[in-house]
């Protein structure tokens, strides 16, 4: 009994000593960090359970929940045994010289564009492509079993395609469908992955495709377009069935390509998620890593003073809070509507270590199923034949340019309808002019996208070489 009293008194003394400001030795902090690092995954799960933390995830995530990174930061930044908080270190880490150097590097990096420094930009972008191919090639080769399995699968598929037999008819159909789906998935990825700027492939490709199918359905009074040439070219079938044409049947006709495109946009949202997740687990300085992550950290710092926030920043914070509080349903809601701020949702999920399948599952359902049906419905209703004719009639009431615009648009529509029929004559000169304008617009958008990729790669390589220089200088 006396022993228990002595131990409780000693515990009270230690607590009171801590409250009076006695410094905790750095050895004890180091010991705690080393003990956490030495634990197995099962031991870490037990420790998380004791502290009321989640027990899912890999070892790095479990260490993060137990405060391993925070402990190591305090250990490195302690002075005379007094731990310094991350907020204190972030404001005092860099000297004025260091900040000036970083600002100079940033301005130099922003000047790396084709219209200012074309030779250096092309050189840096080429080197960045080589570095990325080498880096990811080595990472792929590390997984030898997967590489071997994929190689064997590819060889077997090649032999199956090249070997003659009754299975060739099925192989041709399957190959055509796979290429068609891959095409739309690739366009979806390009639409959201970034690489300097997104290529708006819905406006350039998927939207016009749905519009063409809609116009053809009402003109042909059928959806059974002969294959081939559909989907490369639409020709009206000999048999017509007006009752088969409705909004639902048109949506069903373009469902495969629309859902593949939506799945591609969901895949394109993964880089911000993985980047923020890696930064959180490894403690990367956002100032030296990715501009989107740096913007996210800056927004978090501004959150306390909401009066100084712009409307866009308020919208970004709303998305961040919705995702953080609601979880799966919040991600699903943000992904289910046209949302230019969804990149922040990916960064938020990565920063707060949201499980991969929670983020990707909600994003995939939202973009490939819910959002795509909304967009399809909008395009199909907008290109309904009755609505198009009415819009052309109202176009002449536009002051000054109304009647001048009505003629080329009507000629273009008549030309598109003529192409749907066998032996149909092409449209007039006015229709061809509108078609050529749209083609030039598509080419200009693709060229702009390619230029933005080159600029982005050049700036990434510039950032890479300066990070190496600063690391060598510190060593």
């Amino acid at each position: 009994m006396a022993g228990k009293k002595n131990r409780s008194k000693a515990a009270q003394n230690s607590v009171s000593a801590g409250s009076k400001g006695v410094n905790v030795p750095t050895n004890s902090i180091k010991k705690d960090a080393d003990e956490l690092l030495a634990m197995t995954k099962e031991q870490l799960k037990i420790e998380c359970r004791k502290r009321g933390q989640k027990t899912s995830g890999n070892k790095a995530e479990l260490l993060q929940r137990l405060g391993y990174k925070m402990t190591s930061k305090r250990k490195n930044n302690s002075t005379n045994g007094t731990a310094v908080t991350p907020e204190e270190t972030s404001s005092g880490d860099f000297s004025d010289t260091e900040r000036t150097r970083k600002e100079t590097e940033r301005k130099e990096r922003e000047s790396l564009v084709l219209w200012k420094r074309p030779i250096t930009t092309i050189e840096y972008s080429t080197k960045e492509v080589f570095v990325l191919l080498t880096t990811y090639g080595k990472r792929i080769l590390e997984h030898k079993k997967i590489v071997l399995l994929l190689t064997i699968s590819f060889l077997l598929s090649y032999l199956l395609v090249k070997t003659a037999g009754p299975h060739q008819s099925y192989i041709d159909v399957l190959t055509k469908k796979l290429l068609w789906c891959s095409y739309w998935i690739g366009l979806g990825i390009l639409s959201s992955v970034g690489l300097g700027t997104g290529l708006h492939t819905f406006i350039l490709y998927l939207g016009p495709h749905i519009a063409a199918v809609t116009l053809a359905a009402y003109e042909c009074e059928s959806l059974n377009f002969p294959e081939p040439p559909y989907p490369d070219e639409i020709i009206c079938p000999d048999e017509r069935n007006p009752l088969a044409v409705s909004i639902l049947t048109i949506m069903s006709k373009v469902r495969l390509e629309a859902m593949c495109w939506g799945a591609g946009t969901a895949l394109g949202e993964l880089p911000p998620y993985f980047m923020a997740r890696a930064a959180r687990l490894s403690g990367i300085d956002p100032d030296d890593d990715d501009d989107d992550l740096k913007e996210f950290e800056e927004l978090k710092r501004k959150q306390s003073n909401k009066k100084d926030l712009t409307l866009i920043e308020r919208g970004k914070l709303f998305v961040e809070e919705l995702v953080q509080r609601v979880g799966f349903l919040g991600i699903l809601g943000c992904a289910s509507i046209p949302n230019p701020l969804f990149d922040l949702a990916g960064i938020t999920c990565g920063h707060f270590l949201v499980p991969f399948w929670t983020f990707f599952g909600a994003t995939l359902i939202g973009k490939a199923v819910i959002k795509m049906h909304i967009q399809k419905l909008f395009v199909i209703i907008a290109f309904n034949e009755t609505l198009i004719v009415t819009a052309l009639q109202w176009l002449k009431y536009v002051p000054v340019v109304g009647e001048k615009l009505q003629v080329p648009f009507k000629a273009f529509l008549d030309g598109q309808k003529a192409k749907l029929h066998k032996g149909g004559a092409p449209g007039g000169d006015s229709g061809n002019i509108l078609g050529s304008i749209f083609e030039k617009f598509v080419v200009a958008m693709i060229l702009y996208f390619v230029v933005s990729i080159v600029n982005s790669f050049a700036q990434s390589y510039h950032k890479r070489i300066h990070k190496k220089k600063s690391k060598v200088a510190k060593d």
Side-chain angles (χ1 to χ4, degrees):
M1 193 71 182
K4 287 184 180 179
K5 289 182 178 179
N6 291 333
R7 282 197 296 271
S8 63
K9 188 178 291 185
Q12 290 174 0
N13 290 336
S14 63
V15 172
S16 62
S19 62
K20 288 177 183 177
V22 176
N23 295 328
V24 179
T26 57
N27 291 336
S28 64
I29 297 173
K30 185 175 185 302
K31 182 181 177 183
D32 290 341
D34 290 341
E35 284 177 353
L36 288 173
L37 193 60
M39 286 182 179
T40 63
K41 188 176 179 180
E42 293 302 321
Q43 290 173 333
L44 289 172
K45 284 185 177 181
I46 293 170
E47 188 66 25
C48 283
R49 199 175 290 113
K50 288 179 181 177
R51 301 188 188 186
Q53 301 284 347
K54 291 181 180 179
T55 58
S56 59
N58 55 33
K59 188 174 180 179
E61 294 173 357
L62 296 172
L63 284 169
Q64 180 71 22
R65 291 196 193 104
L66 293 171
Y68 173 69
K69 283 294 172 185
M70 180 182 67
T71 306
S72 60
K73 280 184 181 180
R74 288 181 177 176
K75 174 191 70 175
N76 294 332
N77 294 315
S78 59
T79 307
N80 295 327
T82 304
V84 183
T85 62
E87 288 77 13
E88 292 170 342
T89 58
S90 61
S91 61
D93 273 346
F94 305 111
S95 61
D96 292 337
T97 307
E98 185 75 7
R99 287 175 181 169
T100 305
R101 182 184 65 81
K102 285 185 175 292
E103 184 65 22
T104 305
E105 287 179 8
R106 186 184 62 80
K107 289 180 179 179
E108 185 181 352
R109 185 164 61 247
E110 289 176 352
S111 69
L112 278 172
V113 287
L114 282 172
W115 51 89
K116 289 184 180 179
R117 300 167 62 186
I119 297 174
T120 308
T121 303
I122 293 172
E123 178 191 354
Y124 277 21
S125 62
T126 305
K127 290 180 177 178
E128 177 68 11
V129 170
F130 179 76
V131 170
L132 290 174
L133 289 174
T134 306
T135 303
Y136 287 109
K138 289 179 179 178
R139 288 184 183 178
I140 291 171
L141 291 175
E142 287 175 0
H143 305 279
K144 295 180 181 178
K145 291 182 180 179
I146 297 175
V147 172
L148 182 62
L149 183 63
L150 289 174
T151 305
I152 294 171
S153 301
F154 176 77
L155 290 174
L156 290 174
S157 302
Y158 180 78
L159 290 173
L160 195 64
V161 170
K162 292 298 180 181
T163 305
H167 64 281
Q168 280 298 326
S169 58
Y170 300 103
I171 292 293
D172 291 340
V173 173
L174 181 63
T175 303
K176 186 179 178 181
K177 288 293 182 185
L178 286 175
L179 290 174
W180 183 243
C181 291
S182 301
Y183 172 75
W184 289 109
I185 289 172
L187 287 176
I189 292 172
L190 290 176
S191 180
S192 62
V193 75
L195 298 175
T197 180
L199 183 66
H200 303 290
T201 51
F202 183 86
I203 297 173
L204 298 179
Y205 295 99
L206 184 58
H209 172 70
I210 297 172
V213 172
T214 304
L215 289 172
Y218 287 108
E219 174 66 18
C220 301
E221 295 183 342
S222 175
L223 284 164
N224 295 322
F225 311 126
E227 298 184 20
Y230 182 83
D232 299 321
E233 185 182 351
I234 303 176
I235 296 177
C236 290
D238 295 329
E239 296 181 1
R240 298 193 174 197
N241 183 10
L243 297 177
V245 178
S246 65
I247 291 177
L248 292 177
T249 54
I250 297 172
M251 289 177 71
S252 178
K253 186 71 174 177
V254 296
R255 181 174 291 127
L256 178 64
E257 45 266 49
M259 292 185 73
C260 287
W261 185 87
T265 60
L267 289 171
E269 300 295 347
L270 292 180
Y273 169 82
F274 284 122
M275 175 267 300
R277 183 186 182 90
R280 177 69 185 272
L281 291 173
S282 60
I284 296 172
D285 183 6
D287 188 53
D288 292 329
D289 190 57
D290 192 274
D291 292 335
D292 291 333
L293 184 58
K294 181 182 176 182
E295 182 185 356
F296 173 74
E297 295 290 344
E298 190 67 30
L299 197 62
K300 293 291 289 180
R301 283 194 284 270
K302 289 182 180 180
Q303 193 171 7
S304 57
N305 192 5
K306 293 188 177 181
K307 292 182 179 179
D308 297 334
L309 294 174
T310 63
L311 185 63
I312 294 176
E313 288 175 337
R314 288 174 185 270
K316 289 181 177 180
L317 279 176
F318 173 76
V319 171
E320 185 263 330
E321 289 174 0
L322 181 66
V323 169
Q324 188 181 351
R325 291 180 183 178
V326 185
F328 181 89
L329 293 177
I331 302 167
L332 183 65
C334 291
S336 299
I337 57 174
N339 185 2
L341 308 177
F342 190 77
D343 274 353
L344 193 68
I347 293 174
T348 301
C349 292
H351 181 77
F352 290 106
L353 303 179
V354 173
F356 170 76
W357 286 111
T358 301
F359 169 72
F360 184 65
T363 305
L364 186 64
I365 295 170
K367 286 184 172 291
V369 180
I370 302 174
K371 181 183 171 185
M372 277 318 306
H373 278 82
I374 294 172
Q375 289 179 296
K376 279 193 298 180
L377 185 63
F378 175 80
V379 174
I380 291 168
I381 291 174
F383 283 87
N384 180 290
E385 188 177 23
T386 306
L387 192 62
I388 289 289
V389 172
T390 306
L392 284 174
Q393 290 175 351
W394 280 93
L395 194 61
K396 65 180 180 182
Y397 295 108
V398 176
V400 183
V401 295
E403 292 184 358
K404 294 179 181 179
L405 288 175
Q406 190 181 31
V407 175
F409 272 106
K410 192 174 186 306
F412 178 75
L413 185 62
D414 292 338
Q416 294 302 308
K417 288 182 178 181
K419 288 179 183 179
L420 298 172
H421 302 281
K422 293 178 181 179
D429 292 337
S430 299
N432 291 333
I433 289 171
L434 269 182
S436 63
I437 288 173
F438 182 74
E439 288 174 3
K440 288 181 175 61
F441 172 71
V442 172
V443 171
M445 287 291 292
I446 293 172
L447 287 175
Y448 175 67
F449 181 65
V450 172
V451 168
S452 69
I453 291 174
V454 173
N455 294 339
S456 179
F457 279 174
Q459 291 170 7
S460 296
Y461 187 76
H462 179 275
K463 188 186 293 185
R464 188 186 300 276
I465 58 178
H466 279 82
K467 282 174 75 173
K468 286 182 179 178
K469 286 181 182 178
S470 61
K471 187 177 180 181
V472 171
K474 287 177 182 178
D475 294 340

